[in-house]
Amino acid sequence: QVQLVETGGGLVQGGGSLRLSCAASGLTSSTYVMGWFRQAPGKEREFVAGISRSGDSTYYADSVKGRFTISRDNVRNTVYLQMNSLKPEDTAVYYCAARFGTRITQNGYSVWGQGTQVTVSS
């Protein structure tokens, strides 16, 4: 069956960096677009970044543009989110998700990971 597992979350100081990983199983890498989402307490889930099936195209929310980088390794069937210059407002549970298609979108993701907590201290 299809499964996504996020790792790499933790507690970091403001201005620090983390790299999140999302390992996929039960999927063929070339058939899905991947996205990262986050949800903070009291807030709605929001789209963070998306990446095309080949990894050639990416799209970012304005709030993270210039600080976060999404990438993928289709051989290892893993998607990454490199987070730099972290701010306390980045604190959230981060989820990876997959959608079958060709376009990077902010919705329509059908497979979700369990989430990993990212906490950024002041």
Side-chain angles (χ1 to χ4, degrees):
Q1 59 270 57
V2 178
Q3 183 172 295
L4 304 177
V5 179
E6 304 97 332
T7 57
L11 174 64
V12 298
Q13 295 179 333
S17 298
L18 281 175
R19 188 176 76 157
L20 306 183
S21 299
C22 175
S25 61
L27 297 172
T28 300
S29 296
S30 62
T31 65
Y32 58 93
V33 171
M34 290 295 300
W36 285 96
F37 296 77
R38 66 186 182 187
Q39 187 167 24
K43 295 184 178 180
E44 298 294 320
R45 184 183 65 193
E46 64 174 333
F47 173 84
V48 174
I51 188 166
S52 63
R53 296 185 300 176
S54 67
D56 290 336
S57 299
T58 58
Y59 184 80
Y60 299 92
D62 289 341
S63 59
V64 306
K65 191 175 298 183
R67 299 189 297 121
F68 291 9
T69 303
I70 187 171
S71 61
R72 68 191 301 165
D73 183 339
N74 284 343
V75 175
R76 297 183 176 183
N77 220 26
T78 303
V79 181
Y80 305 95
L81 184 68
Q82 178 67 46
M83 304 185 294
N84 298 326
S85 301
L86 283 163
K87 305 176 183 296
E89 50 263 43
D90 295 318
T91 295
V93 177
Y94 284 72
Y95 301 89
C96 66
R99 70 181 301 271
F100 292 89
T102 60
R103 294 187 299 171
I104 303 172
T105 67
Q106 297 186 13
N107 52 40
Y109 292 80
S110 58
V111 182
W112 294 81
Q114 84 289 346
T116 186
Q117 176 71 48
V118 172
T119 302
V120 184
S121 63
S122 300

